Amino acid sequence: MNTLDCYKVDLKGISAGSEAFSWHVDDEFFSAVQGREITHGSLDVELEVRQRAEAYELTFHIEGEVAVTCDRCLASMYIPINADVQLKAKFGTEYDDDGEMVTVPYDEGVIDLAWHIYEMAALEIPIRHVHPEGQCVGESDAELWDGGQSERKEIDPRWDKLRKILDNNNKKTKIYEIKINNRFKFEY
């Protein structure tokens, strides 16, 4: 039996009304899914499937935490996940997933939710993930916050001479403005 088989739901077996499912997602799940964003974590997933007129409404509640890499110090850190997501499914001739509606082949009648659960958790991760101030590993906070500016190297003297030439040119240059009918502005 495949590790991810337990995340398959037989929609044909759902009685009129609703049915509930729950799973605990851990490192084994993330390694089996083989996603890039999350490799470690612990999530509790609750699913309620409601049969509607010609579609199924799948309501997910995902809660727990996942491990990501800190953007500042590159150490591992945990991000809390708390998501309520809705997905719709219907029967059709072939499998299709447009992001809002999943079409499941009527012959099979089974929807595999493993990748959907992974994506829902991954979409809850903020774009920028950093440790709280003072908790980064490795470098001192002063070095991290000033962007390494504290260790400035001496500038090559040739650049100083070029900078002086630029400064002198800027002092000598005068800017003249010409306005025509208070609309057009020319500078030279």
Side-chain angles (χ1 to χ4, degrees), residues 44-167:
D44 292 316
V45 180
E46 295 173 10
L47 168 66
E48 183 180 1
V49 181
R50 286 193 184 124
Q51 186 177 6
R52 299 289 183 205
E54 296 206 9
Y56 293 87
E57 191 176 275
L58 291 79
T59 306
F60 293 85
H61 176 73
I62 302 173
E63 193 169 346
E65 60 184 14
V66 295
V68 294
T69 303
C70 176
D71 291 337
R72 221 181 303 147
C73 69
L74 302 178
S76 184
M77 63 180 285
Y78 282 90
I79 300 274
I81 301 291
N82 191 354
D84 291 308
V85 183
Q86 207 167 41
L87 183 68
K88 295 185 182 195
K90 67 178 182 178
F91 289 118
T93 56
E94 60 184 38
Y95 180 83
D96 184 35
D97 183 359
D98 68 2
E100 292 182 20
M101 178 72 78
V102 178
T103 304
V104 177
Y106 189 78
D107 298 345
E108 297 173 20
V110 175
I111 184 169
D112 186 356
L113 297 173
W115 185 253
H116 292 285
I117 292 169
Y118 175 83
E119 279 187 333
M120 290 173 194
L123 288 173
E124 289 297 310
I125 298 173
I127 292 173
R128 184 170 182 255
H129 24 84
V130 294
H131 285 104
E133 188 175 341
Q135 294 183 7
C136 275
V137 179
E139 296 186 30
S140 72
D141 285 342
E143 291 174 356
L144 291 172
W145 287 109
D146 73 359
Q149 299 295 329
S150 59
E151 294 182 18
R152 287 196 179 253
K153 294 180 181 175
E154 190 173 317
I155 297 174
D156 187 347
R158 293 176 289 183
W159 291 111
D160 284 335
K161 289 179 183 178
L162 286 172
R163 204 169 279 123
K164 285 180 185 177
I165 292 171
L166 273 175
D167 288 342

